[in-house]
Amino acid sequence: MDREEPQKDWRSDGVRVVRHDALDSNTAQTPGMNRAAAIDHARVGAQKIWAGTVTIHPNAKTGAHHHGALESVIYIVRGHARMRWGERLEFVAEAGPGDFIYVPPYVPHQEINASTDEPLECVLVRSDNEAVVVNLDIAAVEAPEEVAWVDPIHRHPHS
């Protein structure tokens, strides 16, 4: 015997629009960064994702942190990001407008605004409905190793 799913009220349980001026900054914060939630469980009933915005002011950087078991995707809207990651933030790569950054679970990382005069504005999506931030006290290496982001189907940019 098939069980029918209860009838949904699509008017109230359907698509939600969260306006840019209605984001919620009452979310987990990392020093040097302003996060604002758009999509989470409390606001729209999201079950498996969290989405919002992040702004890093010119010439600023976040503290080292990770997001527990969550996967994160950062989309650069405006500005240039310098990402450092690793046990001592020993790796570095840069991204600009239109680029995506993937951060796997538990990876210690730091976002840096690579510009001295332009804010870094990003859209952030995580793989759970709540924002998890674990701030870390890391002694960073002075000269990180530059890493080119290359996936298995594309050539290295310097080859």
Side-chain angles (χ1 to χ4, degrees):
M1 173 167 22
D2 289 335
R3 293 181 64 209
E4 287 188 32
E5 188 169 323
Q7 183 66 32
K8 294 259 186 190
D9 177 359
W10 294 121
R11 184 176 191 282
S12 61
D13 294 330
V15 172
R16 309 282 173 80
V17 174
V18 178
R19 302 277 179 215
H20 67 93
D21 58 355
L23 303 184
D24 180 11
S25 60
N26 185 24
T27 185
Q29 298 293 330
T30 296
M33 171 185 283
N34 297 103
R35 287 189 189 95
I39 308 298
D40 62 9
H41 183 71
R43 302 193 85 210
V44 301
Q47 299 297 307
K48 298 178 183 177
I49 61 171
W50 182 99
T53 61
V54 61
T55 300
I56 302 175
H57 297 287
N59 210 31
K61 61 186 176 185
T62 70
H65 62 282
H66 70 73
H67 302 287
L70 306 185
E71 294 176 287
S72 298
V73 173
I74 303 167
Y75 175 76
I76 310 298
V77 176
R78 186 173 112 181
H80 289 85
R82 180 174 299 125
M83 294 291 292
R84 289 186 66 174
W85 71 93
E87 291 298 322
R88 296 195 54 223
L89 305 178
E90 65 268 31
F91 306 109
V92 65
E94 295 199 4
D99 291 343
F100 287 84
I101 300 167
Y102 170 68
V103 182
Y106 298 104
V107 172
H109 63 282
Q110 174 185 51
E111 292 95 348
I112 301 166
N113 185 339
S115 172
T116 58
D117 57 3
E118 178 180 60
L120 171 60
E121 297 177 2
C122 308
V123 173
L124 176 59
V125 179
R126 294 220 184 87
S127 62
D128 197 358
N129 62 8
E130 297 298 331
V132 173
V133 177
V134 178
N135 293 315
L136 303 169
D137 187 14
I138 291 179
V141 298
E142 286 194 31
E145 174 188 343
E146 186 172 345
V147 177
W149 282 324
V150 180
D151 63 61
I153 60 172
H154 294 91
R155 292 176 11 146
H156 189 284
H158 302 296
S159 59

